[in-house]
Amino acid sequence: MAKLSNSNPLTGKTLLKKVKDLEHLSREEKAKACGYYTVTKNDVVRVNMMKFMNALIDAEGIQLDSIQTGNGRGGRSASYRITVQSNGNLLIGAAYTKQMGLKPGDEFEISLGRKHIRLKQLNVDGDDDTDDADE
């Protein structure tokens, strides 16, 4: 067998195509064929499965890491969708109010459209603010 040397691992679409072409091989053999290995001083080949799997996740465009906002506490991320509750209320939620920098007591003018609700934030002195939040 030919001696292996450290290689440049494949990424992105090239990695995905190569993995698909090698579907008959084991995961370790795929990782090695895609360049996710190192050769030690004693010529021992070590397959780096973690880097291989992370590269596959990145190539597929899957976002596993959440983007930290605010004070680092957990909680739900904003989905930009809400549902009318059983009592008829629409609850916007803290994720949105934090993102907009709203504070308790901030006031809004509500205007109803045919298929939308528009919230217009009012300044402290009662004048309209230019920023709108549509729901």
Side-chain angles (χ1 to χ4, degrees):
M1 185 171 156
K3 185 175 179 179
L4 293 174
S5 63
N6 291 334
S7 69
N8 292 332
L10 300 175
T11 58
K13 291 180 182 178
T14 310
L15 173 63
L16 293 175
K17 184 179 181 331
K18 181 79 168 185
V19 168
K20 187 171 178 116
D21 292 343
L22 302 174
E23 64 186 346
H24 61 283
L25 297 178
S26 70
R27 283 191 287 180
E28 288 79 14
E29 291 170 322
K30 289 175 190 171
K32 189 174 168 184
C34 292
Y36 288 88
Y37 67 89
T38 56
V39 180
T40 66
K41 291 185 236 177
N42 300 331
D43 290 331
V44 176
V45 176
R46 294 195 175 176
V47 178
N48 192 331
M49 289 303 296
M50 184 62 79
K51 282 187 179 179
F52 176 64
M53 295 303 221
N54 285 336
L56 282 174
I57 290 169
D58 289 344
E60 285 287 346
I62 299 170
Q63 179 67 30
L64 294 179
D65 297 328
S66 63
I67 299 169
Q68 289 273 334
T69 58
N71 59 5
R73 295 175 59 190
R76 295 182 182 167
S77 61
S79 66
Y80 298 96
R81 294 182 70 118
I82 59 173
T83 304
V84 176
Q85 298 176 341
S86 60
N87 62 2
N89 289 341
L90 284 175
L91 178 66
I92 293 176
Y96 306 102
T97 56
K98 284 180 185 176
Q99 189 173 6
M100 290 182 66
L102 301 176
K103 309 239 180 320
D106 286 351
E107 292 185 336
F108 290 84
E109 176 185 295
I110 300 173
S111 61
L112 301 176
R114 186 167 157 234
K115 289 196 170 217
H116 69 273
I117 298 171
R118 176 164 287 163
L119 300 176
K120 187 176 280 191
Q121 188 172 7
L122 300 175
N123 286 337
V124 178
D125 59 4
D127 291 339
D128 289 345
D129 195 2
T130 58
D131 292 332
D132 288 339
D134 290 337
E135 282 302 316

